[in-house]
Amino acid sequence: MTRTAFDPATIAGSDDEGEDEFKAAGRRPTINDVARLARVSKKTVSRVINKSPSVKDDTRSKVEAVIKRYGYAPDPQARGLAFRKSFLIGLIYDNPNPQYVIDMQQGILNAVRGSGYELVVHPCDRRAPNFLTDVRNFVQRQKLFGVVLPPSVSEDERVAQLLTEVECPYVRIASVAFDAPECMLVTHDSEGAAEAARHLADAGHQRIAFISGPSTFKSSHERGRGFAGGLAERGLELRPEYRREGAYTFESGVACARDLLAMGSPPTAIFTGNDEMAAGVYKAARDAGLEIPRDLSVVGFDDSPLAERVWPPLTSVRLPIRDMGRIAAEKLLERALDKKERTQDDGEVFPKLVERRSTASPDPL
């Protein structure tokens, strides 16, 4: 049979034969339909979908034109069966901060868009007795290609060992390196906390408090260590009576701040382990009749959208959470494509203090 030349413009033009066919049958096009309409083999379509470099440019163009014209979308589970591997990336998290999780998901979705891979999410509780069994069942049930692990799940060596046992690739996001470079994204939380400490010390504060996240989070310890180190650089000490442990939640920020502000010599500045707790400090200060920053300076961590929604806008340490999710997913995709070298971001990000209007010099005694 002689094949006529294929013009991608035809697919994008007025020829509605294929569309009419799918509408009449009440179905979406399959990979076989794409192969037929593009006049190539099913294997070639698969190679185009998987961005194989072995496909010629003109062939790739006509297959992509058919896919765009008829709205073909590969089914991840069907692809997994055909290729004996999954096209699903999992996000396993135990994090009480909903904004953090949303931003992490968005970053991962930005990375996988157009790749044929999809995201599935799995919240969990590290304290639950069936935690590891739950993670194992999720990974095996979904037949995941790989997993992104944000804090605090990323800090659990048992999870990394489990994923290694079931041969599921993973990338851990954490404040310090726990694993091989290809499995890690390091966020250097301590450096951002140190910058917050220097900022408050340079403003003239001496009675400075710290509300940490849960002690089960490595990030809590790293942010506390960095904050204490930054104060030490300015000749100050993070005194034990000015330390409180929160839960990375608004409510815990309120409770801890009320306790601190009720002291005989209350702090003139409070640094919190995240922005949710900082918002709780705002409420406690208002309830106590204090004005921010005239009576109390506040610095948060993460620089989430909340930082610009409170009044006055919150000075916060920016951690690029969406970028973190994107970079972690890209590291997984590079394994899928068997890339030997990273072509984009490497395995670390650095926090940066964003100054707004929640800090000022303390009133003289």
Side-chain angles (χ1 to χ4, degrees):
M1 180 178 67
T2 302
R3 292 185 175 179
T4 58
F6 182 89
D7 181 4
T10 303
I11 292 299
S14 59
D15 183 3
D16 293 328
E17 178 180 352
E19 278 189 88
D20 292 342
E21 171 190 341
F22 302 134
K23 288 179 181 178
R27 66 179 181 85
R28 297 185 62 81
T30 66
I31 191 171
N32 290 324
D33 295 320
V34 174
R36 172 172 56 82
L37 291 166
R39 303 166 190 165
V40 298
S41 68
K42 178 179 175 181
K43 182 177 291 187
T44 297
V45 177
S46 298
R47 287 173 175 163
V48 171
I49 293 171
N50 288 290
K51 304 185 185 302
S52 170
S54 64
V55 181
K56 295 180 179 180
D57 290 343
D58 59 340
T59 301
R60 184 185 305 278
S61 296
K62 68 180 181 180
V63 172
E64 289 177 344
V66 171
I67 289 173
K68 181 178 181 181
R69 176 74 171 100
Y70 298 108
Y72 169 71
D75 177 69
Q77 293 183 331
R79 292 178 72 199
L81 291 173
F83 290 91
R84 303 185 189 281
K85 67 175 182 177
S86 167
F87 289 85
L88 298 175
I89 290 177
L91 171 64
I92 301 176
Y93 67 90
D94 177 12
N95 193 312
N97 184 349
Q99 187 63 54
Y100 184 101
V101 176
I102 291 171
D103 288 343
M104 182 66 60
Q105 289 183 55
Q106 188 59 57
I108 296 172
L109 290 171
N110 288 342
V112 303
R113 187 170 290 115
S115 69
Y117 285 79
E118 302 290 343
L119 171 66
V120 289
V121 298
H122 186 70
C124 60
D125 183 356
R126 284 181 60 201
R127 298 166 297 181
N130 64 338
F131 166 60
L132 291 177
T133 300
D134 180 49
V135 171
R136 181 185 293 270
N137 289 342
F138 169 66
V139 172
Q140 294 182 326
R141 181 173 61 251
Q142 298 292 339
K143 297 180 174 60
L144 299 179
F145 162 74
V147 173
V148 174
L149 302 172
S152 66
V153 174
S154 63
E155 301 161 1
D156 197 320
E157 291 296 334
R158 299 173 302 167
V159 176
Q161 182 178 352
L162 183 156
L163 294 173
T164 300
E165 290 174 358
V166 299
E167 299 182 341
C168 179
Y170 61 85
V171 172
R172 304 162 77 172
I173 303 173
S175 53
V176 295
F178 291 108
D179 215 318
E182 63 269 19
C183 300
M184 281 299 312
L185 176 60
V186 182
T187 58
H188 300 285
D189 293 28
S190 63
E191 296 187 21
E195 190 176 355
R198 291 189 290 266
H199 172 71
L200 291 174
D202 291 346
H205 293 278
Q206 295 188 2
R207 300 198 309 272
I208 303 174
F210 172 52
I211 301 176
S212 74
S215 59
T216 53
F217 281 53
K218 180 67 172 176
S219 61
S220 298
H221 297 280
E222 285 299 299
R223 293 172 191 181
R225 181 177 69 84
F227 191 65
L231 291 180
E233 292 177 17
R234 298 298 192 261
L236 299 176
E237 177 188 0
L238 179 56
R239 292 154 53 181
E241 62 267 31
Y242 288 128
R243 299 189 67 145
R244 296 292 185 277
E245 181 179 328
Y248 281 152
T249 61
F250 172 83
E251 292 78 12
S252 68
V254 174
C256 290
R258 282 177 175 168
D259 192 32
L260 288 165
L261 296 176
M263 296 174 63
S265 296
T268 61
I270 298 178
F271 170 57
T272 64
N274 74 348
D275 293 343
E276 286 284 333
M277 293 193 297
V281 174
Y282 272 50
K283 175 173 172 50
R286 184 188 62 193
D287 292 346
L290 302 178
E291 183 178 329
I292 297 172
R294 185 193 66 189
D295 304 312
L296 179 69
S297 289
V298 184
V299 178
F301 199 104
D302 287 341
D303 194 34
S304 66
L306 179 62
E308 293 187 307
R309 294 172 183 168
V310 295
W311 185 260
L314 175 67
T315 294
S316 183
V317 178
R318 174 174 293 167
L319 203 57
I321 298 171
R322 290 194 182 190
D323 286 343
M324 288 153 48
R326 174 183 58 80
I327 295 169
E330 286 175 351
K331 288 169 77 75
L332 284 175
L333 291 177
E334 284 168 357
R335 297 194 206 179
L337 299 174
D338 197 27
K339 290 186 178 180
K340 302 302 182 184
E341 298 180 358
R342 288 192 59 78
T343 56
Q344 300 183 47
D345 304 86
D346 55 21
E348 56 185 350
V349 296
F350 292 89
K352 179 178 178 57
L353 184 71
V354 179
E355 297 184 31
R356 296 193 179 91
R357 299 175 61 182
S358 66
T359 58
S361 299
D363 286 337
L365 297 176

